[in-house]
Structures are given as C-alpha cells and as structure tokens.
Amino acid sequence: MATKVFVHGSGHKADSWKPTISHMTDGKDIVCPNLSSVLEGKKASYENLYASFAAYCGRIEGPIHLCGLSLGGILALHYALDFPQKVKTLVLIGTPCKVPKLAFCFQNIIFRFLPESVFKPMAFDKKDTFALGNTMKNLDFSDRVKQLKCPVLILCGEKDRANRKSAYYLSQNIENARLQIMKNTGHVVNEESPEALAKILTDYYSLSV
C-alpha cells in the first residue's frame, strides 16, 4: 500500500493534521513531516526546503500519495512535477500555482510588527519565516502544471478568496484533475473542516488504491 504524505502549511505544524486523521477510516499509512525538521538545520530558503523535502520523499519506499496545504501544496506540486514516477496521486488544498507577490509583500509588512511569540505555533520562527518568504516571491508553476499526469484532487475553501482563482486554473489546466470547493470553509481546511476533509480524502483514496 502506498504511503500517504500529508504536508502542512507555513502557519502550522504537522499536528495540524491530527483532527483530520482522527476522522479517517485508516491512518496507519499516513506520515506528516514537520517542515522545520525536514530542513535539518539548513538555512531557511525555498531551495533548501524543497531539496530537503524531495530527499525525504525519496527515502520512502514505493509510490506515495501526496497531500499538501498552502506551502505544503506548493512543495507537493513541485515534487510531483519533478518526480512523476514516484507520485501516485496528488491532493492540493488552498495551493497557489503562482506565488502572489503583492500579497506576500503585504503579509511581510504585517509580520514585521508581530512579536516572536506569535510565530511559536507556526512552522518556522519569525526570522526563518521572513527568509523563506523572500525566496518564494518568484515561484510560478502555472506553465508546468499541464505536465501532470497523475490523478489530482484540488480542494479550496469557499472563503479562501486568495486561492480560489488558482484552484480553478489548476482544475482547467491539469488533464486528470477534479475540483471541489468546500462550503463554509476558509484557507486552513484541515483545522476548520476536519471531518468533511477526512471523508473527502477517505473516499478519494479508496478509489486510488
């Protein structure tokens, strides 16, 4: 059975998947890496994080089901494009195919005024969050997504206005993609609607085994 790899976003850690997994029929074959741990002490940059994430996935025996939210979705999408033979299915939740520069700049302005304590529940501390963000400004997979051949499930909360446009773009430009907009849900789907997400994923994976 293929391993399911659930990848969190920059604002959370691996345990953000616990509410969702608790509602799934079988969570034995699911792994949830902490991105800060995956980085293994290297300088915080997207290049280093992706290289470390790719190495992490490469160490898993056999094919994998990748499921990522936000930053986790970007990493999952990037890996699926680079290693199509390794990825059996791909689930992208609230994932931009092109990093919105203006939104990132605005977010960084806000972050500068936040105390260090605010970043404790996030994937990285304040310094590394800034460093990582600054290396992601030019990420753009919009032209490459057409290369994807594996089944792709695209999920987006109806209140996640920042990523709905990307969700529609992905669904229209990936050959084997299916889009589902989740009602009454924002960006952090795995924490806002864990039971609904668990059912969607359970049903999806039952058809992909």
Side-chain angles (χ1 to χ4, degrees):
M1 184 176 291
T3 301
K4 302 178 184 71
V5 183
F6 288 7
V7 196
H8 63 83
S10 60
H12 299 83
K13 297 182 180 180
D15 59 7
S16 63
W17 290 106
K18 286 183 178 179
T20 298
I21 295 173
S22 70
H23 291 291
M24 294 184 70
T25 304
D26 186 3
K28 293 180 181 178
D29 58 341
I30 298 173
V31 294
C32 305
N34 257 316
L35 293 181
S36 58
S37 299
V38 168
L39 195 54
E40 295 180 330
K42 298 184 183 72
K43 181 181 178 181
S45 70
Y46 180 78
E47 182 180 6
N48 285 341
L49 180 59
Y50 174 67
S52 297
F53 176 73
Y56 172 89
C57 291
R59 289 192 292 269
I60 298 174
E61 186 176 349
I64 58 177
H65 297 284
L66 269 181
C67 173
L69 185 151
S70 196
L71 170 60
I74 292 174
L75 290 166
L77 172 60
H78 194 167
Y79 186 82
L81 287 166
D82 286 354
F83 301 93
Q85 73 284 356
K86 182 73 173 178
V87 181
K88 190 171 183 179
T89 65
L90 178 64
V91 179
L92 301 175
I93 308 172
T95 299
C97 56
K98 179 180 181 180
V99 172
K101 292 184 180 180
L102 185 61
F104 252 57
C105 290
F106 181 67
Q107 176 180 276
N108 279 355
I109 291 173
I110 295 175
F111 279 177
R112 286 187 186 280
F113 296 97
L114 297 177
E116 186 72 42
S117 58
V118 172
F119 293 82
K120 286 185 178 180
M122 297 173 66
F124 303 95
D125 61 22
K126 187 172 183 177
K127 178 184 176 183
D128 285 351
T129 296
F130 274 105
L132 183 61
N134 286 331
T135 60
M136 293 180 64
K137 292 178 181 177
N138 296 315
L139 288 180
D140 186 354
F141 299 101
S142 53
D143 289 336
R144 291 188 65 193
V145 296
K146 296 178 182 179
Q147 301 170 15
L148 288 170
K149 300 301 179 184
C150 69
V152 182
L153 175 61
I154 300 155
L155 301 175
C156 189
E158 67 173 350
K159 297 179 182 178
D160 187 5
R161 296 179 181 178
N163 291 295
R164 273 195 324 221
K165 183 177 179 180
S166 177
Y168 285 115
Y169 179 88
L170 289 168
S171 68
Q172 293 165 1
N173 287 275
I174 297 174
E175 181 181 349
N176 198 8
R178 177 163 66 88
L179 171 65
Q180 185 165 344
I181 301 297
M182 298 182 66
K183 295 182 178 181
N184 303 314
T185 304
H187 180 57
V188 192
V189 176
N190 58 347
E191 293 188 345
E192 295 180 44
S193 300
E195 191 168 357
L197 177 59
K199 185 179 186 312
I200 290 170
L201 293 177
T202 297
D203 292 344
Y204 184 68
Y205 290 132
S206 69
L207 299 174
S208 306
V209 176

